[in-house]
Amino acid sequence: MAKFISAESIKAERRKGTVETTVPFLLNGRQEEVTKKIVNGEMETYELDQPIGEMLTSENSRKELLQKVVLDVELGREEVPLLFGPIYDSISDSNFPKEFEAKWAQYGSVIFLEHLEGEEVKFGSLLAEQGPIARIKGYTAGFEYTKEIEMFNQTFNFEVLNKAFGEAHNALLNHLHLAPIIKFGYKAANKTGPVYLNELGKTLANSTGAHYILSLRETLRQALTDTRTAKRPGNILLANSANQEDIKDALSSFTIQATPYSALEGISTIIFYDGWETQVSKKSYSYEGVPAGKAYLIRPKRGFKELIKQALQIQATMGDLTRLVEAQIVGDVWRGVFAAVEENVQEITFPGKA
């Protein structure tokens, strides 16, 4: 049975058991850590025992304040789970150059041949995926704690900002890794169009008289065949949650007109990604998700690399007196993505509903 992954399913899984990790942050240029603990879906956070402004007066207090910021940010990250893990290999190296060609995205190619006397042994080789040059880019965000927050001890605003920071970070990561698949201009060989069947299982020229679930099942089956024929067999499906129930029905076993249909095999994981949007200072920002009625059948890992030069790092600095800013919190992350899309993805257009 295929595994269904969505933001909600990941959050539901996190509600089981206990998760404990350490999260780094910078204080005055020195790396510190705070423990993040989730018990049955509830995350332990810091409660401030004094006004925010008073916590800026000493290094120990600033450390406690920043620990709360980091945990609040992590709470926000829990609200926007990362979805791309099954597709990408993750590589972390602080020595990554700014850009490099795909030759590092290699895999081994070896074959055993019958050995005849006097013949030379056939040596294996390293092959590289084709794809764009991978570039490491920096992404930053920040927010300020003003004198107004201090004067009126608006801790609730403080926590809202922290949480939004974490949500925005994870939304960015989902976008960086999934947008190359969604926005790619696919050639005909990488496209599978809708296949229409009637309730008797007969192939039709168009949607007139078609049975939707049978047609969707046959379309997914054709996509699996197309990727296998092209020698890039896909087993992960990236789709929109609007199609979730229909996909479940199409993959399961059922009987129509006394004809039994076994469960469709070959797709091990279905990821649902609908994008993300927010508004900052009256300006709207959005990350495009998978369009409803479309899906992408993916051969994972080998042609997809998540490159981490520096994970999210949060640091605090003193503010700007001229603007009555008491403190500034800045986060930066340095990442790159390698996605050999054409070699590893089949775009699928679902049948239309009558």
Side-chain angles (χ1 to χ4, degrees):
M1 182 65 182
K3 182 178 182 180
F4 286 72
I5 298 176
S6 66
E8 291 307 314
S9 71
I10 293 175
K11 285 191 279 188
E13 190 65 29
R14 300 283 273 186
R15 297 186 192 108
K16 304 173 184 176
T18 299
V19 178
E20 187 169 326
T21 57
T22 57
V23 185
F25 62 91
L26 286 182
L27 177 64
N28 296 329
R30 185 178 67 252
Q31 182 162 307
E32 304 280 357
E33 289 182 342
V34 64
T35 300
K36 169 185 174 182
K37 189 172 183 179
I38 302 173
V39 180
N40 296 327
E42 295 294 324
M43 196 174 113
E44 297 179 358
T45 59
Y46 270 30
E47 295 296 330
L48 300 181
D49 56 5
Q50 55 184 311
I52 295 170
E54 293 180 14
M55 299 194 74
L56 299 170
T57 57
S58 71
E59 183 168 339
N60 283 339
S61 293
R62 284 198 297 273
K63 181 177 178 179
E64 290 181 16
L65 181 65
L66 198 51
Q67 285 176 327
K68 174 171 177 55
V69 170
V70 170
L71 288 179
D72 285 347
V73 168
E74 289 297 311
L75 188 61
R77 295 185 67 179
E78 291 293 324
E79 288 299 310
V80 184
L82 299 178
L83 300 171
F84 55 86
I87 300 172
Y88 281 81
D89 265 334
S90 182
I91 307 173
S92 182
D93 190 341
S94 60
N95 296 314
F96 276 146
K98 190 170 185 178
E99 63 179 47
F100 39 93
E101 296 183 3
K103 61 184 179 182
W104 53 272
Q106 295 175 326
Y107 58 94
S109 179
V110 177
I111 187 169
F112 279 85
L113 299 174
E114 179 184 1
H115 182 261
L116 301 177
E117 186 177 358
E119 281 195 352
E120 187 176 287
V121 171
K122 179 68 174 179
F123 290 94
S125 63
L126 289 173
L127 302 179
E129 291 288 319
Q130 300 301 309
I133 291 176
R135 291 182 174 85
I136 301 294
K137 296 181 180 179
Y139 301 88
T140 62
F143 46 89
E144 299 174 326
Y145 301 135
T146 64
K147 187 171 183 177
E148 183 177 353
I149 291 178
E150 175 191 350
M151 288 181 66
F152 298 102
N153 195 28
Q154 295 175 334
T155 306
F156 57 92
N157 283 341
F158 175 85
E159 293 175 347
V160 166
L161 280 171
N162 295 339
K163 186 178 177 182
F165 196 95
E167 292 175 356
H169 171 266
N170 276 20
L172 170 69
L173 296 193
N174 279 332
H175 173 68
L176 290 179
H177 293 84
L178 299 179
I181 298 169
I182 296 167
K183 293 185 175 182
F184 190 79
Y186 292 90
K187 297 179 181 178
N190 292 80
K191 291 183 177 183
T192 298
V195 180
Y196 292 101
L197 300 181
N198 65 13
E199 61 183 13
L200 299 176
K202 181 182 177 181
T203 303
L204 304 175
N206 52 51
S207 61
T208 303
H211 187 284
Y212 178 68
I213 295 301
L214 273 181
S215 298
L216 179 56
R217 180 182 187 274
E218 193 63 22
T219 300
L220 293 172
R221 187 177 177 183
Q222 183 61 52
L224 286 165
T225 300
D226 290 344
T227 63
R228 292 165 182 167
T229 301
K231 294 183 171 55
R232 42 179 172 80
N235 66 305
I236 292 181
L237 192 70
L238 179 64
N240 187 293
S241 65
N243 301 117
Q244 181 169 344
E245 297 307 317
D246 290 337
I247 293 172
K248 282 184 178 180
D249 290 344
L251 294 180
S252 63
S253 57
F254 52 83
T255 300
I256 296 177
Q257 293 286 340
T259 301
Y261 293 87
S262 59
L264 183 62
E265 298 182 353
I267 297 176
S268 62
T269 305
I270 300 99
I271 300 171
F272 297 100
Y273 176 60
D274 300 342
W276 184 79
E277 60 183 26
T278 191
Q279 185 169 312
V280 181
S281 300
K282 298 183 180 180
K283 184 175 181 180
S284 295
Y285 298 85
S286 63
Y287 298 142
E288 183 181 347
V290 178
K294 290 274 189 182
Y296 302 90
L297 186 58
I298 303 164
R299 177 174 65 171
K301 302 297 184 179
R302 194 169 80 181
F304 295 94
K305 309 295 178 184
E306 174 192 21
L307 310 174
I308 307 170
K309 186 174 179 70
Q310 178 196 291
L312 178 63
Q313 198 167 75
I314 297 175
Q315 52 187 315
T317 64
M318 296 306 292
D320 182 353
L321 181 60
T322 63
R323 296 187 295 116
L324 297 182
V325 174
E326 299 294 331
Q328 295 175 324
I329 301 296
V330 174
D332 66 311
V333 58
W334 295 82
R335 285 175 169 266
V337 171
F338 174 80
V341 176
E342 190 170 359
E343 289 185 293
N344 296 286
V345 182
Q346 189 80 7
E347 182 186 62
I348 306 169
T349 300
F350 288 166
K353 286 188 177 180

